[in-house]
Each structure stands twice: as structure tokens, then as C-alpha cells.
Amino acid sequence: MRGILRYGSRIILLYIAAAVVVGLIVSYAVISAPDSPKLQSEKGILDLTQAHVSENPLKLKGEWAFYWQELLSPEEIQIRSARDGNHDRWISIPSSWLGYRLDGQQLNGTGFATFRVVIQLSEQDRNERLALRMPTIFHAYKLWVNGKLLEEVGEVGQDKSNVTPHLATKLVFFQPENDRVELVMQVANFHHNRGGITKYIELGGSDVLTVRTNLRIAAETFITASLLVIGMYHLLLFILRRKDRAPLYFGLFTVLFGIRSLLVGELMITQIWPAFPWGLQFKIEYLILCSSGYIITMYFDSIFPNYVSRWFHLGTRIVTSAFCVVVVVTPALLYTKMLLIIGVMVVLHMVYLMVGLVKVAIWRMEGALIFLLVSVVALVTVVNDFLYYNEWSRIGNTSPLGLLVFTIAQMILLSSRFTRAASNEERITRELQVANDKLTEMNMNLEVIVQERTHDLSAAHDDLRTSYDRLLHSEQGRKKLLAYITHDLRMPLSSMLGYVEAVQDRVKPERNEQYLKYIRDNTIRINRMIEELSFLSHLETGQVSYRMEQVHVAHFLRRFYEQYELVVRDAGLDFRLDFRDVEDQRPNVPVVEMDAQRLEQALFNLVSNAMKFTSRGGLVRIALAVYEVNHARYAIISVQDSGMGIPPDQLEQIFDRNYKYDRPGVEKGVEGSGLGLAICREIVQAHGGTIRAESDGKTGSIFYVSLPCILVL
């Protein structure tokens, strides 16, 4: 039994890891797909007259005017254009000027330049308060909007002595004066390998961008806090029990990457400590990257001893030390050129470890498969970050999330080791005590005691087995319910939090009533979702009891029709019941052994879906038919609607948990939890039946519920 459960859990973990990897790949493909040419600037002009950026923020990309080795103000650019005409050069943004060809030569990463773009706004946006979300720009910049200096990060100059580098993410708010917005930026870099605007600048409504930024900060704060707390906990475990070094390396790895998450993304460290030295920030980040491969190697060796060769130990120690020394003693301009080499070193470490993990997983060592799967997830996110910082990927800062998944899995693995060790000690102690008692009693009356103890042990074994199965079943249900609730409630709760903060901050007091109504509607939806999740979890774990009885299907459908006829007709739909073919076979009216209440619940879910996705004046039809296959009779209940239908390629997915399909023409306010059809399937399968759907994607849908009939003597 334990082997079967262990194999099942491994299969589930494999599916989860595969889904994560596929999701990351798909996300990369979607995010990196080229935008419409209409949303890219051409020769310094970005036409947004057909867009509505105040509601749908846009990442600025395309050609900007580029003035190399010149720090020009908006007035100076206008004077030059009026005097000499338009002789501008163009550079693609976002990208570094490193490698840009100018007058037949390629530029290096250091220098200074001015960038300019003109944005044409729509009539709607010219009256809205807009904002620019400025990413980290290497290494100092000034920003003018419509001739006004709105932001300055660091100090811009024409040589290294006159430049003060600084990194920070900013939100810049402005009110357009007309439908034309001119952005002028002076950028200077003498301290990093890559200079210029290397990340997306976002343009959008002030409220929308503020909410998005706050959500990013909240997510990074959660990940950072989680990594730091987990890391400190395991370092304390090592201090209390120094014999096992696995918690030391794991805690050190987790704490270091918790610190690194403060130095990337939204740069939480500069928000907490604005004067934090940028040079120290970069050295810490690069030192963590350089040492991560060695630390994770030592952790792997602690978990699975003797699987890392001596030459690899020695080689990784030498290479890691060399890189760390270079980072410490050289300026950022030099060691930032080694980012790709450092990335290759870290990836090679992880690849080598995964080869070892494959071996130990094949040998079925405990924890090896989990370690391997989460390492794949972490590797994908880390590789993506290295590609992002080298401008080869547009998905930024995914490694903290991947490392959090990796960390949680390792925490569970270490916890299971501690629990197993403690349980083994307790078990051995109990066994020794029991053995001593048995020997004492056997000296008194050997045969009687042997018989009594054999009987007692057998009974105790059966009781323990029963209790164990019940506890395991209950625990599985609890874990699944917790996982599903966490998955399904994260987005509505995050959205509600944003509106609550909007009400508290009085962002737009005139919309408070609208925000509160949205919060109330989501609260009702979340409550319904929790009830459905709980019920579905009980269904899947077999904790729902059924009161089966013999029921005439035709009578059952007629009662159901009479009960819900007014509900359907009040929704503006035609509701019909059709089982004339069955009435013609009165001597053989189908009888099914069912729990009428549960089956009514499943049927109502199907009718509710039909009502939800059928326009007023449409038709909802319930029909009954009887089929015979291999001398077995089945009652087929069908629920048909005249809505927009379901694409045929999605018919196999609609019964999966959390699957939702937004049909064209349906109001956006119509939302469901994605659990109704999953509940239907569980109830029907509990009756020994099947459920399926048919649709051509255009003229409605038909759901068929097949139930086995019984012979009535």
C-alpha cells in the first residue's frame, strides 16, 4: 500500500513540475512575441491615437532619437531641429548602446547620450492623469516630459568624475497638456558594462500603474520574507544540532538568495535604504551568484553523500574562489562583463547535480525525485534571468519565484528527514521497552504469553492499519483542499486588496461605492468557491455518503422540471422536458439506483451552465432516452442549450477542475469557479455512470449523462 501511495505521489509531482516548466516556456513565448507594429515607435514617433493607455498600460518600444556623446535639453533639441533640420539617428529601445554601430564603428558600454521620443495620445488619454514606470537604467539619468524636468536619478555628467551612479525604480506622474507628449532622457554610464535604456518603460494611467507596482512590491516582499525566514530557521537548526550540515548549506543558500531578491526586480533595498551604495549592491549580488553553485553542491553532497566526485569538489572550490576574488577586487565595469561566464558556471553546476540526481532517483533514494523535479524548475528560472540580464529574454526576475519553489520543496525534504530520525528513535525506544517486557513475561509463562501477544499484536496491527488509512485519506483531502483554495483565491484576494488600498488611500473617492460593490461581489464569489472546493474535495476523497435507492428516471426528471421551470423561464428562456420515446416503452420504463438529491445537484449544475451561457429567448431542453449495449441498458439524460457552444477541441477539458471558457457574447460579469462540471463528473461517476459533452462551437451544446439501469423483478 505504501509503495502504491509513494508511486502515485511521484507521478503527481512529475505532472506538477512538467506543468510549471511548460507554463514558463509558454509565458516566454507569449511575452517575447512581437507586438503589433502600430504600438512601436518609428523614427521617434509613437502613435497611440487608437489605444487607451490610461486603462491598458503599454511598454514603450521601438525607435527613439539618439544623440551620442551629447547631453541635450528639450529646448536645445528644438533649437537644433529648427536650425539644422532633422538629422537624427535612431536606436531601438529597450536595448543597450553597447555594440550600436555609429559612423562605421561599434560603441562600447560607457559614455553618455540623449534619447527622445514623441507620443501621440488619443482623445481619451489627453484628459487623464498618466504615469511612467521607470525601470533601473544604467547608471544615471534625467527625464523631461513636455519640457519639464520630472525625475533625476543619480547625477548625469560627461565623464566618470562628474557622474554619480544610482539605481532605483520610479513612478513619474504627469498631466498631458494636449494630445502630444515629448519624452527626453539624458543617460550617462561609466560604471557598468552595458549603458542605456535596457528595460521597458511603461506608460499608463496613474491609478493602474500604481496598483501594478504595489502588487509587484507585495509579491517580492512575500518571496523575500519567505526565503529569509526559511533560511534563518534552518541555520538555527544547524546551531542546535551541528552533526548534520545539510541545514547549514540550505539555510545559507536560502538567506543569500533572500538578500539577493532585495537587490533585483523592484530594488526593495533602495526603497528601504535610498542611500545604499550601488557598488556594494552590485558586489553582493555578484558574490551571491558566484557562490551559489558551490553552496548547492555542498548541500547536495550532505543529502546524498559520496555522489559528488573529489575533482568536482576541488574544481568548483577553485573556480568559485577565483570569481569571488575578481568581484571583490575589481570595479563593476570589469566584473559585470563576466555575467555570462558566471551564468554558465552556475548552470553547469546545476546540470552536473541533476545528472547525479537522475542516478540517485533511478536507485530510488528517498527524496531524490523531488529534488530533481524542483531543480529543473529552479534551473529554468535561473537560466531565464541570465538571458534577461543579457537582453536575450523579455521575462524578467523569475529566479526568486523558482528558488522559492525549490526552497519550499527542500524544506519539506529536510523536515521529513528530521521527522523520520525522531520517529526512528522513538520507535526503537518503544521496541526495546516492549521487548524487555516480553522477555520478562515469557520467563513466567512462555506459551500463554506467546498466544496472547500474538492475538493482541494482530488486533493492534489491524487497528493501526485502519487508523493509518483514515488519517492518510483525510490528510490527502486536507492538502488538496488547501492547495486548491490557495490557487483559486490568490487572484480575487489580490484584486480585493488593491481596491481596499484604493479606498483607504482615497485615490478616487467618487468610485468608493463601485470599489465596495466589487469587494462585496468578490467576497460572495469566494465564499461560494470555498463551499464548492470543500464539497469537491470531499467527493474526490470519498468522504461524501450516498443514499442509494431505486428511482424511476422519468418520474425523477418530471419532479426536477416542475421544481425549476419557473427559475429558467424567469431568466427569459424556453424550458422543455422531452422523454416521449421512453413513454412509448411503458413496460420497460428505466429504473436507476441513485441518490436523488446528489443527482439533482449535478443536473442543476448542468442546467445552470446552460442558463448562464444562453441569451434571452433561447432554449434549454432536458431529454431522456434508453440505449442498450451488450445486453446492458443505460438511461441517457441530455441537457441541451442554444447558446454559442464550446469549441470541439476544448470538450475534453471542460470537466477538469478550475477550467473556465469565456464564450464570446457573454457578459464579463458572468463568472464561475470552474468547479461545477468537475462536481457533476464526480457525482455521476459515483453512480457508475459517465458524462460527456458535444458541440460544434456555434449552435449550442449538449451534455449527456449515462446511468446504468437495473432490472426490477
Side-chain angles (χ1 to χ4, degrees):
M1 183 64 180
R2 292 181 180 176
I4 295 175
L5 292 173
R6 188 180 297 111
Y7 177 79
S9 64
R10 289 176 178 175
I11 293 298
I12 293 173
L13 286 171
L14 180 61
Y15 288 156
I16 293 173
V20 171
V21 174
V22 171
L24 289 171
I25 295 173
V26 172
S27 300
Y28 175 80
V30 172
I31 295 178
S32 61
D35 295 333
S36 171
K38 296 181 180 179
L39 301 181
Q40 298 184 24
S41 56
E42 296 181 0
K43 294 186 177 180
I45 304 296
L46 178 58
D47 185 2
L48 298 181
T49 55
Q50 303 301 318
H52 193 11
V53 295
S54 59
E55 293 182 358
N56 300 303
L58 177 71
K59 294 180 178 179
L60 303 184
K61 62 184 300 185
E63 295 177 339
W64 289 37
F66 181 59
Y67 306 93
W68 176 242
Q69 297 296 75
E70 295 182 279
L71 297 179
L72 304 176
S73 66
E75 293 81 5
E76 292 172 336
I77 294 176
Q78 291 179 1
I79 293 173
R80 172 180 293 190
S81 298
R83 185 185 64 218
D84 302 330
N86 188 358
H87 300 288
D88 295 337
R89 295 184 175 91
W90 316 105
I91 188 171
S92 180
I93 298 296
S95 67
S96 170
W97 62 54
L98 175 65
Y100 180 80
R101 299 193 67 85
L102 183 66
D103 298 331
Q105 296 182 350
Q106 289 188 344
L107 303 182
N108 57 26
T110 59
F112 55 92
T114 302
F115 301 81
R116 177 180 178 269
V117 69
V118 175
I119 303 172
Q120 300 290 341
L121 298 177
S122 65
E123 287 293 327
Q124 293 175 299
D125 292 331
R126 63 180 297 182
N127 299 319
E128 297 287 342
R129 188 166 183 258
L130 302 180
L132 290 168
R133 180 183 178 275
M134 305 299 297
T136 54
I137 296 177
F138 297 110
H139 232 146
Y141 69 90
K142 287 183 178 180
L143 170 67
W144 284 267
V145 178
N146 289 336
K148 297 179 181 179
L149 180 61
L150 296 186
E151 190 58 53
E152 183 174 4
V153 176
E155 293 183 10
V156 178
Q158 298 185 0
D159 54 48
K160 187 174 182 179
S161 61
N162 293 322
V163 173
T164 301
H166 187 66
L167 291 179
T169 58
K170 297 287 185 178
L171 270 179
V172 180
F173 302 94
F174 65 95
Q175 180 69 46
E177 299 175 354
N178 47 46
D179 59 356
R180 182 179 181 274
V181 175
E182 179 191 45
L183 303 183
V184 175
M185 291 186 65
Q186 294 179 358
V187 180
N189 171 60
F190 293 93
H191 300 82
H192 195 274
N193 180 45
R194 293 180 294 114
I197 307 172
T198 60
K199 300 176 183 178
Y200 283 113
I201 299 173
E202 288 187 71
L203 171 66
S206 59
D207 293 341
V208 177
L209 282 184
T210 300
V211 170
R212 287 192 178 185
T213 301
N214 291 337
L215 289 176
R216 289 191 186 102
I217 293 174
E220 291 192 8
T221 302
F222 169 76
I223 293 174
T224 301
S226 300
L227 291 173
L228 292 176
V229 169
I230 293 171
M232 294 302 299
Y233 170 77
H234 285 86
L235 289 177
L236 289 174
L237 283 181
F238 171 74
I239 292 174
L240 297 175
R241 186 175 182 270
R242 300 190 178 185
K243 184 178 180 180
D244 185 5
R245 290 185 173 269
L248 169 64
Y249 296 119
F250 177 70
L252 189 60
F253 177 85
T254 307
V255 168
L256 289 178
F257 273 89
I259 295 173
R260 181 182 178 273
S261 65
L262 294 172
L263 309 175
V264 296
E266 292 297 321
L267 290 180
M268 297 293 295
I269 190 67
T270 60
Q271 300 188 32
I272 299 171
W273 187 359
F276 191 85
W278 72 269
L280 181 59
Q281 171 187 335
F282 264 76
K283 285 188 182 294
I284 293 174
E285 180 184 354
Y286 274 70
L287 285 173
I288 291 173
L289 290 176
C290 291
S291 60
S292 61
Y294 176 75
I295 295 174
I296 200 64
T297 301
M298 299 303 296
Y299 171 67
F300 174 81
D301 191 53
S302 301
I303 297 294
F304 306 107
N306 303 322
Y307 285 97
V308 178
S309 63
R310 292 184 178 180
W311 68 265
F312 188 81
H313 262 304
L314 180 60
T316 188
R317 189 175 302 173
I318 294 174
V319 172
T320 300
S321 300
F323 273 110
C324 290
V325 169
V326 171
V327 171
V328 170
V329 302
T330 61
L333 185 60
L334 179 60
Y335 66 75
T336 54
K337 296 180 180 180
M338 301 189 305
L339 179 61
L340 182 60
I341 301 176
I342 295 173
V344 171
M345 179 188 70
V346 174
V347 171
L348 288 177
H349 272 89
M350 299 189 69
V351 170
Y352 178 85
L353 295 181
M354 282 191 288
V355 171
L357 284 170
V358 171
K359 294 180 180 178
V360 296
I362 293 174
W363 295 334
R364 297 188 176 182
M365 293 192 65
E366 186 173 1
L369 183 59
I370 298 177
F371 201 143
L372 176 61
L373 296 179
V374 297
S375 296
V376 172
V377 177
L379 177 62
V380 171
T381 57
V382 169
V383 169
N384 174 76
D385 270 16
F386 279 109
L387 294 176
Y388 172 77
Y389 288 114
N390 283 279
E391 301 180 26
W392 296 336
S393 171
R394 292 305 175 195
I395 308 176
N397 202 29
T398 58
S399 60
L401 180 59
L403 291 172
L404 180 60
V405 174
F406 178 84
T407 300
I408 292 175
Q410 298 305 318
M411 180 181 64
I412 295 173
L413 178 61
L414 290 177
S415 299
S416 66
R417 293 184 67 199
F418 277 99
T419 303
R420 186 174 65 256
S423 299
N424 288 337
E425 292 179 1
E426 294 175 358
R427 178 178 55 81
I428 292 172
T429 301
R430 289 196 304 269
E431 290 176 354
L432 289 174
Q433 184 62 43
V434 171
N436 183 65
D437 294 340
K438 285 183 178 181
L439 289 173
T440 302
E441 293 177 2
M442 287 174 65
N443 288 332
M444 298 173 60
N445 194 343
L446 184 59
E447 293 183 359
V448 174
I449 292 176
V450 168
Q451 293 177 356
E452 291 178 352
R453 293 309 177 196
T454 302
H455 180 270
D456 292 343
L457 286 173
S458 178
H461 178 270
D462 293 338
D463 292 340
L464 287 174
R465 173 60 66 181
T466 303
S467 300
Y468 173 81
D469 291 340
R470 291 177 179 174
L471 287 173
L472 185 60
H473 210 54
S474 176
E475 180 66 10
Q476 287 177 337
R478 184 188 67 80
K479 288 182 178 179
K480 289 178 67 177
L481 179 58
L482 180 60
Y484 295 148
I485 289 177
T486 302
H487 175 273
D488 289 332
L489 300 189
R490 182 181 294 111
M491 289 304 298
L493 286 176
S494 298
S495 177
M496 290 168 62
L497 177 60
Y499 281 99
V500 169
E501 291 176 348
V503 173
Q504 289 179 338
D505 297 340
R506 302 177 180 268
V507 176
K508 287 195 175 183
E510 66 274 13
R511 294 188 179 179
N512 284 354
E513 183 176 355
Q514 178 183 355
Y515 293 162
L516 292 173
K517 181 179 183 299
Y518 180 86
I519 294 170
R520 177 183 177 274
D521 293 342
N522 266 284
T523 303
I524 295 173
R525 178 170 172 244
I526 290 171
N527 185 53
R528 182 173 67 251
M529 188 184 302
I530 291 174
E531 293 176 355
E532 291 181 348
L533 278 170
S534 178
F535 181 69
L536 180 57
S537 178
H538 286 123
L539 283 173
E540 293 177 340
T541 55
Q543 300 180 43
V544 176
S545 59
Y546 292 85
R547 297 181 179 179
M548 310 299 283
E549 57 183 359
Q550 296 181 3
V551 176
H552 289 274
V553 182
H555 297 166
F556 166 78
L557 288 179
R558 185 167 295 281
R559 288 197 304 270
F560 178 87
Y561 175 83
E562 293 172 354
Q563 181 176 357
Y564 295 103
E565 181 181 10
L566 291 179
V567 176
V568 180
R569 295 190 184 280
D570 286 345
L573 302 174
D574 186 12
F575 194 32
R576 298 179 186 175
L577 177 65
D578 184 10
F579 44 78
R580 290 172 293 179
D581 295 340
V582 176
E583 288 182 338
D584 295 337
Q585 306 174 10
R586 289 189 178 276
N588 298 316
V589 173
V591 176
V592 173
E593 188 171 11
M594 69 170 73
D595 183 328
Q597 182 179 357
R598 299 296 184 197
L599 204 57
E600 178 181 328
Q601 178 182 0
L603 196 59
F604 180 69
N605 279 346
L606 297 178
V607 173
S608 297
N609 277 353
M611 294 170 59
K612 185 186 303 182
F613 297 108
T614 303
S615 303
R616 295 182 66 87
L619 169 67
V620 177
R621 175 178 175 268
I622 300 178
L624 174 64
V626 178
Y627 289 93
E628 185 170 344
V629 180
N630 296 330
H631 305 291
R633 299 178 72 233
Y634 294 87
I636 311 297
I637 302 173
S638 61
V639 178
Q640 180 181 4
D641 65 71
S642 59
M644 297 300 294
I646 305 170
D649 59 343
Q650 300 186 29
L651 291 175
E652 295 295 329
Q653 308 172 40
I654 60 175
F655 296 99
D656 294 339
R657 177 191 294 269
N658 301 322
Y659 178 82
K660 301 177 185 177
Y661 169 60
D662 296 328
R663 307 189 190 188
V666 179
E667 297 180 358
K668 293 183 178 180
V670 178
E671 291 185 302
S673 62
L675 301 173
L677 292 178
I679 291 174
C680 290
R681 180 175 62 182
E682 294 294 332
I683 293 175
V684 171
Q685 289 179 350
H687 286 75
T690 59
I691 184 171
R692 63 184 180 87
E694 289 183 357
S695 177
D696 59 0
K698 299 178 181 178
T699 58
S701 308
I702 306 178
F703 288 82
Y704 294 97
V705 176
S706 176
L707 300 170
C709 297
I710 62 174
L711 296 175
V712 181
L713 300 178

